[in-house]
Amino acid sequence: YIDNLLNEYQLDLKDLHLCGFSQGAMLALYTSLMLEEKIGGCVSFSGIVVPEKWLLKHHKSSPKVLLLHGDKDNLVRFCSMEHSKKVLETMGCQVTNKTVKGEQHRITDSGLEDALKFISETTKKEED
């Protein structure tokens, strides 16, 4: 599916940014780590890296990652963000954490703005 979309829009993997929320974030992280080539980046809203031990052994690439997480998250513990950052850095990923103060398990406007800024910055750096 990803390859078909990249071909349709005449884009390279470096142009691709995968984003997801909660379980979608886990899928975005997993997929970005398992692609043969490094993508532009990955944005995780309230997610966690799973299956951690398997990915540490089998990941194929190390994308830039933005982790966004509410410090009052009532479904995926806030401490998951720091844990995911450590695991991703072990895999060679450049990781940025962003705490969403006072928020539970949701995507906020400020989180969307942070994601847009991350995508813009990583896309610009790849073009330089």
Side-chain angles (χ1 to χ4, degrees), residues 14-15 17 40 64 117-128:
K14 68 178 175 57
D15 302 313
H17 286 74
K64 295 175 184 168
K117 182 179 176 186
F118 171 79
I119 293 168
S120 296
E121 288 174 355
T122 56
T123 302
K124 185 176 188 233
K125 288 178 184 175
E126 292 295 325
E127 292 173 355
D128 292 341

Side-chain angles (χ1 to χ4, degrees), residues 29 32-33 38-43 61-67 84-97 118 121-122 125-126:
L29 288 165
S32 67
L33 292 164
K38 186 174 169 178
I39 64 171
C42 182
V43 179
S61 64
S62 302
K64 295 175 184 168
V65 177
L66 173 62
L67 301 174
S84 291
K85 179 178 182 178
K86 289 177 184 176
V87 172
L88 290 164
E89 287 176 339
T90 300
M91 291 185 230
C93 297
Q94 180 181 332
V95 183
T96 303
N97 279 15
F118 171 79
E121 288 174 355
T122 56
K125 288 178 184 175
E126 292 295 325

Side-chain angles (χ1 to χ4, degrees), residues 30 48-56 91:
Y30 177 89
I48 187 171
V49 176
V50 290
E52 169 192 333
K53 291 179 183 178
W54 190 87
L55 281 170
L56 283 166
M91 291 185 230

Side-chain angles (χ1 to χ4, degrees), residues 73-123:
D73 195 318
N74 55 332
L75 294 176
V76 179
R77 298 168 117 201
F78 175 65
C79 62
S80 300
M81 182 173 67
E82 190 60 39
H83 176 76
S84 291
K85 179 178 182 178
K86 289 177 184 176
V87 172
L88 290 164
E89 287 176 339
T90 300
M91 291 185 230
C93 297
Q94 180 181 332
V95 183
T96 303
N97 279 15
K98 191 79 174 190
T99 299
V100 186
K101 300 273 187 207
E103 289 297 338
Q104 291 190 359
H105 194 71
R106 68 187 199 103
I107 297 174
T108 63
D109 289 342
S110 65
L112 289 172
E113 290 170 8
D114 291 331
L116 180 59
K117 182 179 176 186
F118 171 79
I119 293 168
S120 296
E121 288 174 355
T122 56
T123 302

